[in-house]
Amino acid sequence: MGSNSSRIGDLPKNEYLKKLSGTESVSENDPFWNQLLSFSFPAPTSSTELKLLEEATISVCRSLVENNPRTGNLGALIKVFLSRTKELKLSAECQNHIFIWQTHNALFIICCLLKVFICEMSEEELQLHFTYEEKSPGNYSSDSEDLLEELLCCLMQLITDIPLLDITYEISVEAISTMVVFLSCQLFHKEVLRQSISHKYLMRGPCLPYTSKLVKTLLYNFIRQEKPPPPGAHVFPQQSDGGGLLYGLASGVATGLWTVFTLGGVGSKAAASPELSSPLANQSLLLLLVLANLTDASDVPNPYRQAIMSFKNTQDSSPFPSSIPHAFQINFNSLYTALCEQQTSDQATLLLYTLLHQNSNIRTYMLARTDMENLVLPILEILYHVEERNSHHVYMALIILLILTEDDGFNRSIHEVILKNITWYSERVLTEISLGSLLILVVIRTIQYNMTRTRDKYLHTNCLAALANMSAQFRSLHQYAAQRIISLFSLLSKKHNKVLEQATQSLRGSLSSNDVPLPDYAQDLNVIEEVIRMMLEIINSCLTNSLHHNPNLVYALLYKRDLFEQFRTHPSFQDIMQNVDLVITFFSSRLLQAGAELSVERVLEIIKQGVVALPKDRLKKFPELKFKYVEEEQPEEFFIPYVWSLVYNSAVGLYWNPQAIQLFTMDSD
């Protein structure tokens, strides 16, 4: 590109890029590389500009694809980069701005070229371009060094070993982005890749020893949320003579593309959004999720998933079992804080799910925290704003709650945490409410939203499972939470009656017309009855295990007692209705004895007195309600497209042509 390159639109005509992609071989020792790598131009700040860059890159790339088998210039560029990275750590320590800037530029060009190569050719063809040897033009030698593997190892080393300073921030981001690009071949396949170059290099060979160090570095990048350096943070001090050409070029680093060739950097509009305030943290998290969700190789389990499953707290001094590979330690308190603060993004919620589900050390630590509200409240806010979230984000938030509610200690403690003034809950002013009651309100609201909009049985099932897990531990339910439990039952009851009426009318209609296909009301009725039974089991579980703690629920039951009449003799609910019916009858009798025109306070007082008088042995015991989250078979069929959709939508400074994407449809959630 050289010092004359100033606009993206000029790139296809740039003399240095023409020489790189042309028919003439350029030796890795040629001064040309210093000229090529001394460039800067304004950073793209929109998808339109990124698309322009992509289009400009494609024209250069196609020329290189055609000529590289004869010139080997791609290999020469990579060797130039590899030789420079050997001195990168020393350059950072010595504040050698020009050297780091040019090395970054080399990596940026490689990343742009690699992205187009991966999009436009098979993995086998790609590998040939990286194994070219100049000594036999037009021929590919099986004995030649594998520059692709060497490049990948170098990137891992750069990410893990180079100290994060103002002058190394951009090259660290670029190294992570290049690794994401290296793995992006999945985007161009409809099926989940189970055998690929990524498996070959990342799961064995010289890259494997970097596994735990890479995962640890990416986690710490997420934890620290380091912002890009401010403009001018790595400009040389002004020299009296102006500094000459090199000074001019290096100064371009601070104000041109190379300060922030990421959408989340200084001067970028995207930087205003919280999840993009740290491009390094964002890219690190995306790469971590991609690595964690690689499928196992045929003979080797995914080492990055193994590392995520087994890492421990820095406070834990117990030795790692010898059977656990890729183990390391990290500060759990810092990780917990970062997870609590970053839940506005899909990828942070997916990381939380991954850690809770797969790492028992993390799960145990989180459940022992005395400030669980810091984690639970952001998750509830995701569910509360279900209309604004994509379905995957909602599912992840809901499954996190389900995993947490598997623990009885969690279910008890959330009712002991009292919250004040929940500003985002707009249906009703909640000046004071327990975390447990708020959780119930939000989950019930999610069920009601699902009933009227998406009608997703999977979402219904998981919401009800979380409530069921909590039900035996319900304590001091807020009156509004108790009302909403009964209101949900009322809504289900009305829906049941409506479907029953439709089924009856449909049956009558079928007697007079055999030609018209009828809706399957029997199936609809079966589903709604399953949900009603689940709600009755939740209410029953609370009554049998913690009746004396929940006068507000008894009050709500009595207030809406007529709702339950139709289910007393229904064969699907008869058994579970016994306790509900007993409670309603017992307390109704006591209220009748107390006389008419009773105030709310007086009714609650009678309920509290009656709880003591009600013989517990009269309540029939049912098996404890306990639901455990079980990941579906072949979870990669869900998670890999999901992760790559996050990369596609959230990776800063990377653009892929939507028409080339095969893994998922671009108009889906």
Side-chain angles (χ1 to χ4, degrees):
M1 297 187 190
S3 59
N4 296 325
S5 184
S6 58
R7 293 183 318 196
I8 292 173
D10 296 334
L11 294 181
K13 299 176 285 185
N14 182 275
E15 58 179 298
Y16 297 100
L17 290 179
K18 280 185 175 181
K19 185 171 182 179
L20 172 67
S21 59
T23 57
E24 179 187 341
S25 291
V26 183
S27 164
E28 59 196 89
N29 300 315
D30 197 300
F32 160 79
W33 300 109
N34 282 333
Q35 297 167 325
L36 171 71
L37 302 178
S38 300
F39 65 90
S40 63
F41 49 82
T45 55
S46 68
S47 58
T48 304
E49 290 173 343
L50 280 168
K51 186 178 178 183
L52 286 173
L53 178 64
E54 172 82 357
E55 289 168 351
T57 308
I58 285 176
S59 63
V60 173
C61 241
R62 286 178 176 159
S63 177
L64 186 62
V65 168
E66 183 180 347
N67 295 318
N68 188 60
R70 292 182 296 276
T71 65
N73 285 346
L74 177 61
L77 172 60
I78 291 169
K79 286 179 180 178
V80 168
F81 170 73
L82 293 174
S83 67
R84 283 173 167 269
T85 55
K86 292 171 184 173
E87 301 174 45
L88 203 55
K89 196 169 184 178
L90 181 62
S91 298
E93 292 169 0
C94 299
Q95 297 283 301
N96 189 335
H97 298 255
I98 292 179
F99 187 88
I100 293 171
W101 167 52
Q102 290 184 331
T103 307
H104 171 275
N105 287 358
L107 181 55
F108 172 72
I109 296 174
I110 290 168
C111 185
C112 289
L113 295 173
L114 183 61
K115 186 153 64 71
V116 179
F117 271 51
I118 287 173
C119 177
E120 301 218 336
M121 65 180 67
S122 69
E123 289 190 312
E124 291 74 18
E125 291 174 299
L126 177 69
Q127 209 162 10
L128 289 176
H129 277 277
F130 278 82
T131 52
Y132 173 79
E133 281 195 329
E134 189 179 354
K135 62 184 179 184
S136 50
N139 246 336
Y140 297 98
S141 166
S142 59
D143 297 328
S144 59
E145 61 184 328
D146 194 335
L147 283 177
L148 197 54
E149 183 173 48
E150 198 175 338
L151 173 63
L152 190 57
C153 285
C154 178
L155 292 174
M156 295 172 85
Q157 193 172 7
L158 194 159
I159 294 166
T160 57
D161 291 353
I162 300 302
L164 187 61
L165 308 169
D166 281 354
I167 59 172
T168 60
Y169 189 96
E170 292 86 2
I171 196 167
S172 297
V173 173
E174 199 62 50
I176 294 168
S177 297
T178 306
M179 277 199 72
V180 171
V181 168
F182 172 76
L183 292 159
S184 67
C185 52
Q186 177 64 79
L187 281 172
F188 310 108
H189 292 80
K190 287 184 179 178
E191 305 297 325
V192 168
L193 290 178
R194 299 179 188 279
Q195 292 295 325
S196 67
I197 288 181
S198 59
H199 288 84
K200 175 184 172 184
Y201 293 139
L202 290 171
M203 298 193 188
R204 52 176 66 82
C207 291
L208 190 60
Y210 290 100
T211 298
S212 57
K213 202 171 182 184
L214 178 63
V215 171
K216 183 176 182 177
T217 301
L218 295 175
L219 276 171
Y220 269 125
N221 285 347
F222 168 71
I223 288 168
R224 288 166 181 149
Q225 294 289 317
E226 293 280 359
K227 292 179 171 55
H234 42 36
V235 180
F236 289 120
Q238 183 66 52
Q239 299 176 24
S240 57
D241 60 357
L245 175 62
L246 287 179
Y247 171 74
L249 293 175
S251 296
V253 176
T255 54
L257 173 62
W258 310 114
T259 336
V260 284
F261 200 87
T262 56
L263 289 180
V266 180
S268 164
K269 294 177 182 175
S273 89
E275 65 269 28
L276 294 185
S277 62
S278 172
L280 181 65
N282 186 70
Q283 301 297 82
S284 295
L285 178 52
L286 291 172
L287 176 57
L288 183 64
L289 292 172
V290 170
L291 292 170
N293 286 282
L294 289 174
T295 57
D296 295 335
S298 57
D299 56 340
V300 182
N302 179 346
Y304 304 93
R305 189 182 301 123
Q306 286 183 315
I308 284 170
M309 290 172 65
S310 59
F311 70 83
K312 298 195 306 185
N313 195 353
T314 48
Q315 305 300 314
D316 187 346
S317 57
S318 61
F320 282 102
S322 57
S323 59
I324 298 180
H326 316 299
F328 64 91
Q329 291 179 289
I330 204 165
N331 187 309
F332 277 15
N333 183 57
S334 301
L335 178 58
Y336 178 81
T337 302
L339 286 166
C340 293
E341 291 173 350
Q342 298 300 320
Q343 286 307 307
T344 50
S345 74
D346 278 67
Q347 48 267 38
T349 305
L350 181 53
L351 176 63
L352 174 58
Y353 158 79
T354 302
L355 296 176
L356 270 175
H357 178 52
Q358 297 185 1
N359 190 314
S360 59
N361 300 320
I362 279 280
R363 186 166 59 251
T364 301
Y365 173 84
M366 288 187 175
L367 288 168
R369 293 282 302 204
T370 57
D371 60 348
M372 277 298 287
E373 67 273 17
N374 292 336
L375 186 68
V376 175
L377 282 172
I379 299 300
L380 294 183
E381 199 168 350
I382 293 168
L383 292 175
Y384 185 79
H385 295 112
V386 58
E387 302 94 336
E388 302 164 19
R389 304 291 183 179
N390 70 67
S391 59
H392 290 348
H393 200 183
V394 171
Y395 283 145
M396 288 299 100
L398 190 52
I399 292 168
I400 286 166
L401 286 186
L402 180 55
I403 292 170
L404 293 173
T405 60
E406 290 171 14
D407 183 77
D408 286 341
F410 171 83
N411 294 332
R412 282 191 297 271
S413 65
I414 54 175
H415 292 287
E416 297 167 3
V417 177
I418 304 302
L419 308 167
K420 296 189 177 181
N421 300 317
I422 309 301
T423 54
W424 48 262
Y425 194 96
S426 59
E427 272 88 345
R428 179 165 172 158
V429 176
L430 299 175
T431 52
E432 189 171 287
I433 189 170
S434 72
L435 180 60
S437 289
L438 181 64
L439 196 158
I440 292 166
L441 285 175
V442 172
V443 171
I444 286 175
R445 185 180 184 275
T446 306
I447 294 172
Q448 291 180 322
Y449 173 83
N450 187 49
M451 284 175 66
T452 56
R453 306 282 184 88
T454 54
R455 299 181 181 180
D456 185 326
K457 186 180 177 182
Y458 180 79
L459 192 143
H460 252 25
T461 303
N462 284 284
C463 283
L464 290 167
L467 289 176
N469 284 347
M470 296 167 59
S471 58
Q473 308 290 340
F474 283 172
R475 295 287 188 278
S476 305
L477 290 184
H478 191 281
Q479 61 181 33
Y480 186 51
Q483 288 170 20
R484 297 311 295 162
I485 290 172
I486 305 305
S487 295
L488 175 58
F489 187 83
S490 173
L491 186 63
L492 291 166
S493 176
K494 289 174 185 175
K495 191 171 179 64
H496 178 266
N497 293 339
K498 183 179 178 182
V499 173
L500 192 60
E501 185 182 343
Q502 289 172 333
T504 305
Q505 291 176 353
S506 174
L507 190 61
R508 287 173 185 159
S510 68
L511 298 176
S512 57
S513 173
N514 293 323
D515 300 328
V516 181
L518 299 173
D520 190 358
Y521 288 115
Q523 185 179 351
D524 289 349
L525 200 60
N526 184 52
V527 170
I528 195 72
E529 286 184 356
E530 282 181 14
V531 177
I532 287 174
R533 180 169 180 89
M534 189 81 160
M535 279 302 300
L536 284 171
E537 287 179 343
I538 289 166
I539 294 169
N540 180 74
S541 173
C542 177
L543 296 179
T544 54
N545 290 285
S546 53
L547 177 65
H548 55 295
H549 289 299
N550 291 292
N552 283 327
L553 182 61
V554 177
Y555 184 99
L557 272 173
L558 294 171
Y559 192 75
K560 292 283 187 177
R561 72 191 81 175
D562 295 344
L563 275 177
F564 299 89
E565 285 291 333
Q566 62 178 306
F567 300 108
R568 278 181 175 178
T569 55
H570 194 293
S572 298
F573 314 116
Q574 220 167 4
D575 60 333
I576 204 75
M577 273 298 299
Q578 289 180 33
N579 288 340
V580 176
D581 194 33
L582 173 64
V583 168
I584 290 174
T585 304
F586 177 82
F587 285 99
S588 294
S589 171
R590 294 183 75 89
L591 290 176
L592 196 60
Q593 293 171 18
E597 304 295 325
L598 299 173
S599 67
V600 173
E601 291 77 14
R602 177 62 183 142
V603 171
L604 284 170
E605 185 183 337
I606 293 168
I607 290 170
K608 289 173 185 176
Q609 293 168 353
V611 164
V612 180
L614 177 65
K616 301 295 183 292
D617 57 356
R618 291 180 61 186
L619 292 171
K620 182 181 176 182
K621 285 288 183 183
F622 287 87
E624 185 183 7
L625 290 179
K626 269 299 168 189
F627 294 88
K628 192 174 179 64
Y629 169 67
V630 179
E631 205 167 61
E632 294 180 15
E633 289 184 21
Q634 296 187 313
E636 65 273 9
E637 299 292 340
F638 168 82
F639 285 103
I640 289 177
Y642 179 33
V643 168
W644 278 105
S645 71
L646 296 180
V647 173
Y648 178 86
N649 289 303
S650 307
V652 291
L654 292 176
Y655 170 86
W656 286 275
N657 182 351
Q659 295 177 341
I661 303 296
Q662 299 278 322
L663 183 61
F664 47 81
T665 52
M666 299 315 302
D667 56 351
S668 65
D669 264 348

